[in-house]
Amino acid sequence: MLKKSKIHKNDTVQVIAGKDKGKRGSVVSVNLKKETVIVSGVNIVKKAMRKKSQQDQGGIAEIEAPLNISNVAIVCKKCGPTKIGYKIDGDKKVRVCRKCGDIL
């Protein structure tokens, strides 16, 4: 069974563990099966790419590798990296900052 993620695509997150600790970026994609996220500009690794066609060049490319979802925290505009809570706002369920209660 797949878990539901509190971090969504296009959220601003900060890395809280690992070699890129402290870096911030936007979430490019979320993989719920593997519980990983890809963050733009974070966890850059070098990968050998094969030449696919006459125009496409091979060689060594730098790509963003996935991070475990537990190693990133969403960033609140007021208080920085924080945990996420939920509130019922009318008939909608919205994500809120646990520190200041602001809607994310």
Side-chain angles (χ1 to χ4, degrees):
M1 187 171 141
L2 293 176
K3 289 184 176 181
K4 187 172 180 247
S5 172
K6 293 183 178 184
I7 295 174
H8 302 187
K9 189 176 177 179
N10 296 328
D11 282 343
T12 303
V13 293
Q14 181 171 336
V15 180
I16 55 172
K19 68 175 185 178
D20 291 324
K21 184 177 179 178
K23 287 188 180 177
R24 289 185 182 188
S26 178
V27 175
V28 177
S29 69
V30 179
N31 186 341
L32 292 176
K33 273 191 175 173
K34 294 182 181 177
E35 294 183 355
T36 58
V37 291
I38 295 177
V39 183
S40 62
V42 177
N43 200 21
I44 303 291
V45 295
K46 293 187 180 202
K47 183 177 180 182
M49 303 295 272
R50 180 171 282 144
K51 186 176 176 180
K52 291 183 179 166
S53 66
Q54 291 288 340
Q55 295 86 20
D56 189 35
Q57 280 200 323
I60 296 170
E62 291 187 345
I63 62 162
E64 294 142 352
L67 288 164
N68 195 297
I69 208 160
S70 65
N71 293 338
V72 295
I74 196 158
V75 176
C76 176
K77 289 175 181 72
K78 285 184 183 176
C79 37
T82 183
K83 291 185 177 182
I84 301 172
Y86 287 101
K87 261 187 193 162
I88 307 296
D89 186 34
D91 58 339
K92 286 190 173 181
K93 186 176 177 183
V94 292
R95 298 181 300 161
V96 295
C97 172
R98 286 260 186 99
K99 291 181 183 175
C100 64
D102 212 31
I103 294 174
L104 296 171

